[in-house]
Amino acid sequence: MKFICDDAILDLNIQHLYVAGWTGRDEAAVQHHITELAELGVAPPSQVPLYYRVSENLLTQAAEVEVVGETSSGEVEPLLLLQDGQLWLGLASDHTDRELEAYSVAASKQACVKPTAQKLWKFDEVKDHQDQLVLSCDVYEGGEWVSYQAGSLAAIRPLAELLQGADMPDNSAMLCGTLGAKGGVRPAAKYKMRLSDPVLGRSIELRYAVRTLPDVA
């Protein structure tokens, strides 16, 4: 998969893909969310954080993705990529089938592709101020863009800690967790996501649309 870093084209051979879940830094808030989901039938995680393994070919840079039915939604997340000992930071969406999530979180992660931005930063350039990086996601609903998620990486466990916990091998990528959704998790027709670095004055953007396929039986 091709990415861009400092105007150079990177051809990264991603062979392993992880989705980190339950990565909030506020442990009490994470436990509250686990309890809420349990009431909806979602099994609690076996450990916190938990690293789900999904197929590496789920990563996509397509401007439009296809999903079955009306129950999936995206989440803005930092993306770590490791190859030849070099670590990069990017932006991705953990698009997930919410109905399937009640049956199996792992299966719900595997059911949808994971859109990713093409632009990357060297992680070493941001590691000392990563808590100041800002994630945001707007969704298109009712004919207008609406703020859906927003907050800094200070709400997520330190990325190096997540990397170590996953014990990621070379040629790997990991989606590192997300923020709470304003107004609750829900489907949307379009997503507009951003990772902003106020210290170095730059950003990474990701946009994609969702095409819904019929859920036939």
Side-chain angles (χ1 to χ4, degrees):
M1 180 173 284
K2 296 187 184 301
F3 295 88
I4 298 173
C5 181
D6 296 332
D7 297 325
I9 297 177
L10 305 173
D11 193 357
L12 301 186
N13 179 25
I14 304 301
Q15 299 175 2
H16 313 278
L17 182 58
Y18 297 74
V19 179
W22 320 102
T23 63
R25 202 174 297 190
D26 185 333
E27 295 184 7
V30 170
Q31 185 56 53
H32 178 71
H33 187 48
I34 290 173
T35 301
E36 284 183 325
L37 290 177
E39 293 174 354
L40 298 175
V42 178
S46 56
Q47 64 181 51
V48 175
L50 186 60
Y51 301 95
Y52 301 96
R53 292 294 302 274
V54 296
S55 301
E56 52 81 19
N57 59 10
L58 291 181
L59 277 183
T60 180
Q61 293 173 341
E64 182 180 71
V65 303
E66 295 181 327
V67 299
V68 174
E70 304 280 353
T71 62
S72 72
S73 63
E75 295 177 335
V76 62
E77 305 204 2
L79 176 72
L80 286 177
L81 303 101
L82 177 65
Q83 182 167 305
D84 298 329
Q86 175 69 55
L87 189 61
W88 286 275
L89 177 63
L91 180 66
S93 175
D94 179 18
H95 209 93
T96 299
D97 186 316
R98 303 301 169 187
E99 186 173 57
L100 184 56
E101 193 172 36
Y103 165 74
S104 166
V105 176
S108 72
K109 300 299 183 186
Q110 176 66 34
C112 300
V113 297
K114 311 302 182 188
T116 179
Q118 193 171 29
K119 188 175 180 181
L120 298 177
W121 297 330
K122 293 176 181 176
F123 182 69
D124 283 347
E125 296 176 348
V126 300
K127 66 180 182 180
D128 291 335
H129 63 274
Q130 62 182 285
D131 282 1
Q132 295 173 261
L133 302 181
V134 177
L135 289 170
S136 65
C137 173
D138 294 343
V139 295
Y140 193 75
E141 56 185 15
E144 62 181 359
W145 287 102
V146 176
S147 178
Y148 183 64
Q149 295 173 284
S152 75
L153 264 63
I156 297 173
R157 291 173 185 257
L159 300 185
E161 177 185 314
L162 294 175
L163 181 70
Q164 183 178 14
D167 194 23
M168 273 174 47
D170 215 33
N171 301 315
S172 295
M174 178 169 62
L175 286 80
C176 299
T178 192
L179 309 168
K182 302 176 183 178
V185 175
R186 58 193 185 275
K190 298 178 184 179
Y191 293 86
K192 182 167 57 176
M193 301 179 175
R194 176 177 290 185
L195 174 62
S196 301
D197 182 350
V199 174
L200 298 180
R202 58 184 180 174
S203 64
I204 298 175
E205 294 187 357
L206 169 63
R207 295 188 182 210
Y208 71 97
V210 178
R211 180 184 177 197
T212 301
L213 303 177
D215 185 3
V216 298

